[in-house]
Amino acid sequence: MAELKADVLVLGAGMVGVSAALHLQQRGRDVILVDRRELAGEETSFGNAGMIESASVFPYMFPRDFGQILQYAINGSPQVRYQFVDLPSFLPWLVRYYLASSPERALRSAMAELPLIRRSLIEHEALIAEAEVPELLRRTGWIKLFRSDATLANAVRDFERAKQYGVAGELLDGDAIAMREPNLTGEFAGGIHFPAPGFVPDPGGLAKAYAALFKRKGGRFLVGDARTLEQTTGGWRVGGSEGTVVGREIVVALGPWSDLVFGPLGYSIPLGVKRGYHLHLAPRGNAVLNHPVLDSDLGYLLAPMNRGIRLTTGVEFARRDRPPTYIQIEQALPRAQALFPLGDAVDAKPWMGARPCLPDMLPVIGKAPRHAGLWFDFGHQHHGLTLGPATGRLLAEMMTGEAPFADPTPFAVERFG
Ligand SMILES: Cc1cc2nc3c(=O)[nH]c(=O)nc-3n(C[C@H](O)[C@H](O)[C@H](O)COP(=O)(O)OP(=O)(O)OC[C@H]3O[C@@H](n4cnc5c(N)ncnc54)[C@H](O)[C@@H]3O)c2cc1C
């Protein structure tokens, strides 16, 4: 079989890997993108809620409010669910997540990520223009609804804080909600419309469009299994369906599967997962949903995707590879049906994915300390669609010796000792 050579092999063709490949290519590197799937964007980057979350300056940290913790602990919250049988496997991670969520450390994470969040939409706009897919970016922003005065008041307080970092938004009363979304039904304490974030009505399609751009510019995409990775003299080798693939440098962008590579290489990195589900439903009659709408207190989101209205759930703590449980979808469905006129399901069964998360809710980006030519780019948590292109730029700048646009120190793997 042939041996294919490149400067850099990027393992994983989700939003994160494809974006890194494009940024490396822009800087003159010959890149081969390797994925076990035949197409890009078929996993986590396919199933998300489609929001380019440029308004999300505070990452999703563990709650510090005792009442909320209690609700989480007894599986009484619609936003979070635990698979208790897996508790021994994720409890140590959860403790680290809790510790990393103190107000001081949470603010540190937010400030570290802020330059990336601010860059997120700009980087997507550039790639979307080059890929010639303007229809994949909608400028509606998104709406967060609240059912109780207490949760609305908390959200308004958070919003006031976010405003200090340039986040724009408009408080909505019942009439303003009805103006923006005439087909919603329910009793709301209020809402917030964040107008700036982008909405992608086909996130998997966007990853594919970026991969097509990469190929059009001379990049190669090959099917291969990252688990076959071996270090050679002066580089790295992976087994691919068209032969062995060899690169001087390698980027691990395998999202929730990144441990399959860093584990055998001897790195102990606390990568956990927060699983989530989606199901597409047809709108009934002529009903239209104009924005993604988060029914915050009831713990689900509706997004107007090209395929139908995508109902996405909150977080499920369970082992990555445990078979899906559809409890959160089953709980959310009647609530969503009461909010918006939903008809039949478009999908035969719900989709499940896993948000790749480090306890401090920051990705790992940068050089691996003990192996020449090994780079990490994973752990983009709730914001991998948002941050893929911005972190791709940051990584490519680091790999090519350019001045990085943001301080990469908080993302270094060395923070885990
Ligand atoms: C329900 C839900 C809603 C979300 N909503 C949003 C949102 O609105 N906005 C946002 O910004 N983010 C959102 N996210 C998070 C976002 O989807 C992820 O952070 C992001 O997709 C991670 O991208 P990735 O490229 O790192 O991983 P992935 O997209 O999972 O890509 C990893 C790639 O690695 C490949 N791979 C795995 N194993 C191997 C192997 N052995 N060999 C070769 N290849 C392999 C896979 O095939 C895959 O293509 C959401 C996530 C979920 C689950």
Side-chain angles (χ1 to χ4, degrees):
M1 274 231 223
E3 186 175 84
L4 302 159
K5 288 194 177 142
D7 298 328
V8 187
L9 310 182
V10 176
L11 302 180
M15 183 48 76
V16 171
V18 172
S19 300
L22 276 165
H23 272 289
L24 285 160
Q25 187 184 52
Q26 271 178 22
R27 287 162 182 77
R29 294 292 191 271
D30 180 25
V31 181
I32 296 180
L33 200 43
V34 180
D35 201 284
R36 65 179 173 193
R37 311 279 300 232
E38 288 191 358
L39 296 171
E42 292 276 285
E43 296 284 355
T44 332
S45 299
F46 156 76
N48 57 58
M51 295 193 297
I52 300 178
E53 250 299 53
S54 52
S56 200
V57 297
F58 299 115
Y60 290 91
M61 304 312 284
F62 199 92
R64 307 293 281 191
D65 167 73
F66 183 69
Q68 220 180 338
I69 293 173
L70 196 64
Q71 282 298 101
Y72 279 21
I74 60 169
N75 263 348
S77 152
Q79 291 89 355
V80 175
R81 192 168 173 84
Y82 300 96
Q83 285 267 11
F84 283 113
V85 317
D86 289 341
L87 196 62
S89 74
F90 63 73
L91 190 62
W93 188 90
L94 223 48
V95 171
R96 293 180 81 150
Y97 182 29
Y98 176 78
L99 293 174
S101 300
S102 69
E104 306 73 42
R105 291 182 63 187
L107 185 62
R108 225 186 301 151
S109 286
M111 292 306 101
E113 199 174 82
L114 189 61
L116 308 186
I117 288 281
R118 285 193 170 143
R119 192 85 192 197
S120 57
L121 191 53
I122 300 167
E123 293 296 334
H124 270 292
E125 282 169 340
L127 293 182
I128 284 170
E130 216 187 336
E132 298 177 34
V133 285
E135 69 281 6
L136 290 183
L137 179 61
R138 291 196 200 146
R139 303 308 201 130
T140 58
W142 65 284
I143 292 176
K144 201 167 176 178
L145 297 177
F146 302 92
R147 303 281 180 158
S148 87
D149 292 334
T151 51
L152 176 64
N154 280 342
V156 169
R157 211 187 44 226
D158 289 348
F159 173 45
E160 289 302 325
R161 212 169 138 226
K163 273 188 190 167
Q164 297 167 24
Y165 303 101
V167 172
E170 194 177 331
L171 291 181
L172 309 178
D173 60 13
D175 290 343
I177 293 169
M179 288 268 289
R180 282 172 174 74
E181 291 293 354
N183 290 112
L184 298 189
T185 308
E187 292 290 316
F188 311 113
I192 304 177
H193 180 198
F194 298 100
F199 172 60
V200 178
D202 179 1
L206 188 64
K208 287 177 178 56
Y210 289 175
L213 172 65
F214 167 75
K215 285 205 259 182
R216 211 159 62 228
K217 292 170 77 179
R220 286 168 286 169
F221 181 113
L222 298 171
V223 174
D225 188 343
R227 286 172 301 181
T228 62
L229 182 68
E230 283 176 326
Q231 192 169 19
T232 62
T233 29
W236 296 85
R237 180 166 57 212
V238 178
S241 60
E242 293 174 36
T244 307
V245 191
V246 179
R248 239 183 328 106
E249 294 183 288
I250 192 123
V251 176
V252 180
L254 294 162
W257 295 277
S258 298
D259 59 327
L260 299 181
V261 166
F262 70 66
L265 290 172
Y267 292 91
S268 172
I269 305 170
L271 179 69
V273 294
K274 295 184 187 178
R275 306 201 313 178
Y277 297 83
H278 83 220
L279 179 71
H280 289 98
L281 299 123
R284 256 196 288 124
N286 297 326
V288 173
L289 187 68
N290 297 314
H291 316 75
V293 172
L294 175 64
D295 197 348
S296 181
D297 299 348
L298 299 187
Y300 68 90
L301 183 137
L302 291 181
M305 295 285 171
N306 290 345
R307 187 172 161 77
I309 305 292
R310 182 177 282 189
L311 164 64
T312 59
T313 65
V315 166
E316 182 186 47
F317 286 105
R319 277 191 296 109
R320 181 192 61 209
D321 300 329
R322 176 168 291 287
T325 58
Y326 298 126
I327 297 168
Q328 282 167 302
I329 283 279
E330 283 158 11
Q331 285 174 339
L333 189 55
R335 296 168 182 163
Q337 283 164 331
L339 178 72
F340 182 83
L342 292 168
D344 293 337
V346 176
D347 307 321
K349 61 178 174 67
W351 169 90
M352 185 191 76
R355 304 166 182 93
C357 299
L358 282 311
D360 57 9
M361 292 296 116
L362 295 177
V364 177
I365 301 164
K367 204 166 180 353
R370 295 196 299 275
H371 291 82
L374 175 65
W375 296 82
F376 294 141
D377 188 8
F378 59 81
H380 289 61
Q381 33 93 9
H382 296 249
H383 290 144
L385 167 64
T386 304
L387 295 178
T391 53
R393 169 181 286 277
L394 184 65
L395 179 86
E397 287 171 347
M398 292 168 79
M399 288 179 71
T400 58
E402 260 178 57
F405 78 89
D407 178 9
T409 326
F411 311 115
V413 71
E414 285 88 344
R415 71 191 193 268
F416 300 113

